[in-house]
């Protein structure tokens, strides 16, 4: 059984909140950067989570924080994004 679209979106939003909880000064030190890891949805299904910290504008400008949560079996996913201003 696949992870529901609602569950994927909820996870993406929760992971985005965690990704944005870092102090902006720390985020600026690691931008551009990204990673991915395997985790578990609340339903117990395995999902892949990818976080990206990218320049939203020219380097040293605003930072785009993006999180994507994917169900590798069903090949579906959800993405959440927020731009952090300096």
């Amino acid at each position: 059984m696949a992870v529901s679209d609602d569950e994927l979106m909820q996870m993406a939003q929760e992971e985005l909140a965690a990704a944005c909880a870092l102090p902006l000064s720390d985020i600026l030190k690691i931008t551009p950067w990204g990673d991915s890891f395997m985790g578990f949805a609340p339903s117990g299904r395995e999902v892949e989570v990818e976080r990206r910290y990218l320049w939203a504008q020219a380097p040293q400008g605003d930072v785009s924080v993006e999180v994507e949560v994917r169900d590798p079996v069903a090949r579906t996913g959800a993405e959440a994004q927020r731009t952090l201003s300096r």
Side-chain angles (χ1 to χ4, degrees), residues 39 50-51 63-64 76 82:
E50 183 174 349
R51 285 188 184 185
V63 175
S64 176
T76 59
R82 183 178 304 153

Side-chain angles (χ1 to χ4, degrees), residues 14-33:
E14 289 173 1
E15 287 292 331
L16 179 64
C20 292
L22 290 171
L24 184 58
S25 60
D26 290 346
I27 291 173
L28 292 172
K29 291 176 187 175
I30 62 169
T31 301
W33 178 78

Side-chain angles (χ1 to χ4, degrees), residues 32-51:
W33 178 78
D35 74 334
S36 63
F37 57 92
M38 297 306 288
F40 292 94
S43 63
R45 298 284 186 191
E46 191 171 45
V47 295
E48 182 177 16
V49 180
E50 183 174 349
R51 285 188 184 185

